[in-house]
Amino acid sequence: MSSPATTSPPPADLKRIVAASLIGTTIEWYDFFLYGSAAALVFNKLFFPGSDPLVGTLLSFLTYAVGFAARPVGALVFGHYGDRLGRKKLLVLSLLMMGGATFAIGLLPTHATVGTAAPVLLTVLRLVQGFALGGEWGGAVLLVSEHGDARRRGFWASWPQTGAPAGQLLATGVLSALTALLSEAAFTSWGWRVPFLLSGVLVVVGLWVRLSVDESPVFKAALARAGTRRAEGSAVEKLPLVAVLKYHWRDVLIAMGARMAENISYYVITAFVLVYATSHTGLSQQIALNAVLIASALHFAVIPAWGALSDRIGRRPVYLLGAVGVAVWAFPFFALVDSGRFGLLLLAVCVGLVFHGAMYAPQAAFFAEMFATRMRYSGASIGAQFSSVAAGAPAPLIATALLADYDSPTPIALYVIAAALLTLLAVGVARETRHRDLDAVDGTATAGAVRKTGAAEGGASPAVPS
């Protein structure tokens, strides 16, 4: 069995690259999750007043879902230019857009001040957030994957994935502290704005770190080869989107299916649980926030461990374990939350996020290894973000509507199980990718060798021209 040939950068450089990706994804997810938490706690009162409380929550989650609708557009735009111009430039732009939109939300007038203009402005800024996040994820994980130690790619590429729980931890922690320190009236009046305004400070730090790293060497090499072929007139380079749909349509569908259980379970466990625990079991907002806060810390810790395991046994076995886990845990999750006891609520969220981490950790390397370099940003982003429209976007909305209609968690648990079955099918038919050499998948000269290597190692996707 041949081993990956990608040259590892010096340890100090790799750690700086990982840090640049991690801090950026942490800030972006902080901004995105902050909105989700605020949608569950205060936006229904401030931007959609006069409705039934549960209807107000549904309307609030609808603006939450709008951000997901913009993510595929961001994936297309950022993927195209990221495959043409490079990963680093687009990552800087995504950070500026996300941070700017989040800071502006902190300055928004409410419905009481400007009437219907308030939810309209909120929705526009949510669209900007979603557009930016649609381009952030693919670039961040590729920057690490393409720089890095090929034999430990799953471990290193999982670190940008920890930006999700880190952002959740930061967003929930700030909200939890404010709800503990302020009265409900003060938090509703002005306290909710503070975490949004803090995003401005975080963006400055993130830009300073992100601007200090170099472009991916794998991308630079592929760009040089494409330039040589154009100069020789030996090939006409296709648009990244066209190339992805021609060479990697199967991989895009697999990535979309793989995201279903991962995306839906995450937003049920971390966003919808805030609504369910407070409205259905009578727990306070503070208790629900504290449970998500502690569980997010555990989630952060287990993701690199799952990523390291995927380097030893493969991406698919770890991913499949996570999908089975969230399906099996769906009914016990709600039974524990229904107990109304903090310890059991915490156990429910912690175990759910551990299983989620088994899908989320190998996802970065798994998706990166599916695609050729000059279409990798587009392919990984499209596969990841188009599925979010059907998965994460409506998950809190569907769960809240099911709760309103049935007054029972059973339909919600079945919803999570159905998503897990789709993911099991998608990952089950996928090829194992952990021995893929990211540099070798570019260029017609190596195509035959990579096809043979892929077949010997369990079926990496065939090489295609960059």
Side-chain angles (χ1 to χ4, degrees):
M1 182 180 296
S2 60
S3 60
T6 305
T7 302
S8 301
D13 290 344
L14 182 55
K15 289 177 182 178
R16 186 173 70 251
I17 293 158
V18 170
S21 292
L22 173 57
I23 193 169
T25 54
T26 298
I27 293 168
E28 299 249 4
W29 283 114
Y30 165 81
D31 293 346
F32 206 75
F33 289 142
L34 181 62
Y35 189 104
S37 297
L41 299 176
V42 294
F43 283 174
N44 56 334
K45 305 170 187 174
L46 298 175
F47 292 91
F48 305 98
S51 303
D52 174 86
L54 198 56
V55 173
T57 301
L58 279 169
L59 292 172
S60 184
F61 273 142
L62 187 59
T63 63
Y64 179 70
V66 162
F68 286 84
R71 282 164 67 170
V73 182
L76 290 172
V77 174
F78 279 83
H80 173 84
Y81 288 104
D83 282 329
R84 287 297 181 92
L85 305 177
R87 290 42 168 139
K88 177 181 172 180
K89 295 175 183 177
L90 275 297
L91 285 174
V92 170
L93 179 60
S94 70
L95 187 62
L96 284 172
M97 291 183 69
M98 175 67 87
T102 304
F103 186 82
I105 289 174
L107 300 175
L108 274 184
T110 64
H111 189 279
T113 304
V114 296
T116 56
V120 171
L121 291 171
L122 182 67
T123 303
V124 169
L125 292 174
R126 182 59 174 173
L127 284 168
V128 175
Q129 280 191 324
F131 180 81
L133 190 60
E136 163 68 22
W137 180 84
V141 300
L142 294 188
L143 196 65
V144 176
S145 296
E146 292 180 344
H147 267 92
D149 180 351
R151 291 174 180 81
R152 303 184 68 198
R153 186 181 295 131
F155 171 73
W156 289 115
S158 70
W159 279 100
Q161 300 291 77
T162 65
Q168 179 78 71
L169 188 66
L170 190 58
T172 308
V174 172
L175 283 172
S176 182
L178 287 170
T179 55
L181 294 172
L182 300 176
S183 66
E184 184 175 352
F187 180 77
T188 303
S189 175
W190 59 268
W192 68 270
R193 298 181 183 275
V194 173
F196 287 92
L197 297 176
L198 284 175
S199 181
V201 178
L202 297 175
V203 167
V204 173
V205 176
L207 284 174
W208 176 71
V209 176
R210 190 160 273 187
L211 287 169
S212 69
V213 302
D214 292 329
E215 182 56 78
S216 153
V218 172
F219 174 80
K220 288 192 289 187
L223 188 62
R225 287 195 296 270
T228 299
R229 289 196 295 273
R230 284 197 302 271
E232 295 172 347
S234 60
V236 177
E237 188 176 19
K238 293 181 174 65
L239 293 174
L241 175 60
V242 174
V244 164
L245 296 179
K246 179 177 180 180
Y247 295 109
H248 287 293
W249 61 269
R250 181 179 182 273
D251 296 315
V252 169
L253 292 177
I254 287 172
M256 291 175 67
R259 285 273 284 171
M260 296 303 291
E262 178 267 307
N263 223 214
I264 287 173
S265 65
Y266 188 78
Y267 290 104
V268 169
I269 293 168
T270 61
F272 173 71
V273 75
L274 297 177
V275 174
Y276 186 81
T278 55
S279 67
H280 198 258
T281 65
L283 292 169
S284 69
Q285 289 182 358
Q286 187 65 50
I287 288 175
L289 283 169
N290 287 344
V292 174
L293 181 67
I294 296 169
S296 294
L298 176 62
H299 195 212
F300 181 94
V302 300
I303 285 176
W306 286 123
L309 183 62
S310 79
D311 287 326
R312 297 180 64 86
I313 67 174
R315 318 298 183 213
R316 291 174 68 251
V318 177
Y319 212 116
L320 291 169
L321 174 63
V324 171
V326 296
V328 171
W329 192 244
F331 279 105
F333 174 83
F334 286 105
L336 292 171
V337 176
D338 280 339
S339 71
R341 296 168 60 185
F342 174 74
L344 295 180
L345 168 64
L346 179 61
L347 177 63
V349 179
C350 283
V351 174
L353 288 182
V354 167
F355 284 130
H356 174 270
M359 293 182 286
Y360 200 54
Q363 187 181 98
F366 189 32
F367 288 9
E369 290 159 350
M370 289 181 181
F371 301 96
T373 302
R374 290 283 280 154
M375 58 195 82
R376 185 171 292 135
Y377 202 146
S378 295
S381 296
I382 290 169
Q385 303 305 336
F386 271 67
S387 60
S388 69
V389 176
L397 192 64
I398 289 173
T400 303
L402 289 172
L403 181 63
D405 287 345
Y406 295 96
D407 195 31
S408 167
T410 298
I412 306 167
L414 293 174
Y415 171 50
V416 174
I417 292 170
L421 292 175
L422 286 174
T423 292
L424 288 170
L425 176 62
V427 179
V429 302
R431 302 178 178 98
E432 180 56 62
T433 63
R434 71 184 172 109
H435 292 294
R436 170 68 68 85
D437 179 355
L438 295 184
D439 192 48
V441 296
D442 279 297
T444 55
T446 60
V450 175
R451 285 191 185 97
K452 293 177 183 177
T453 300
E457 294 174 351
S461 298
V464 296
S466 63

